[in-house]
Amino acid sequence: MNVISVMTLKKSSDYLIADFTLETAADRLHDAGGALPVVSVTGEYLGIVDERMLMWALRSGEAGLDSLLVEISADFDLIRTGAIAECSEITGLVDKYGVLPVTDDRGMFIGTVLARDLP
């Protein structure tokens, strides 16, 4: 079974925009369960961020609550999959964050796979 058969499309997925502040991102991460993809304003996938990464940026002094996500993008995890990947191939990746971003061949964010959606 391919990822495309279980993925949630972008329009129904939770994700963050790179120009959100860390404060806004923290609120959304808390509501979403701890990890979300980050997308540029043009739709390019930039990585996945979790609450731990935000806390590290804040505690280290690298960023403040009013800093933008794009300012800490070097810390993002770049895990992702394509829509035609086999579900059996991505189980370990989804387990790490509970969500796995799906991109097209240009690196554009097209949706997510959640751990609960895998067979």
Side-chain angles (χ1 to χ4, degrees):
M1 176 181 303
N2 288 357
V3 166
I4 199 165
S5 63
V6 298
M7 71 181 267
T8 301
L9 295 176
K10 178 181 179 178
K11 67 180 182 177
S12 300
S13 293
D14 288 328
Y15 59 94
L16 302 169
I17 305 295
D19 63 357
F20 283 177
T21 65
L22 268 58
E23 183 174 22
T24 299
D27 290 341
R28 294 206 177 184
L29 284 167
H30 178 73
D31 293 343
L36 287 173
V38 180
V39 179
S40 74
V41 294
T42 60
E44 180 184 0
Y45 171 69
L46 300 176
I48 195 165
V49 67
D50 64 7
E51 291 173 322
R52 177 190 52 79
M53 290 176 200
L54 290 186
M55 289 301 297
W56 178 255
L58 292 168
R59 292 193 67 165
S60 70
E62 177 184 349
L65 285 174
D66 60 342
S67 298
L68 303 180
L69 276 172
V70 72
E71 295 175 43
I72 64 162
S73 62
D75 297 334
F76 297 166
D77 195 340
L78 294 176
I79 65 167
R80 65 180 168 208
T81 190
I84 61 170
E86 290 292 322
C87 289
S88 59
E89 298 172 355
I90 65 163
T91 304
L93 293 173
V94 175
D95 287 345
K96 183 171 182 177
Y97 292 110
V99 60
L100 183 62
V102 182
T103 60
D104 66 11
D105 58 352
R106 298 173 300 139
M108 303 301 280
F109 176 71
I110 60 172
T112 55
V113 175
L114 303 175
R116 67 174 183 247
D117 296 333
L118 289 177

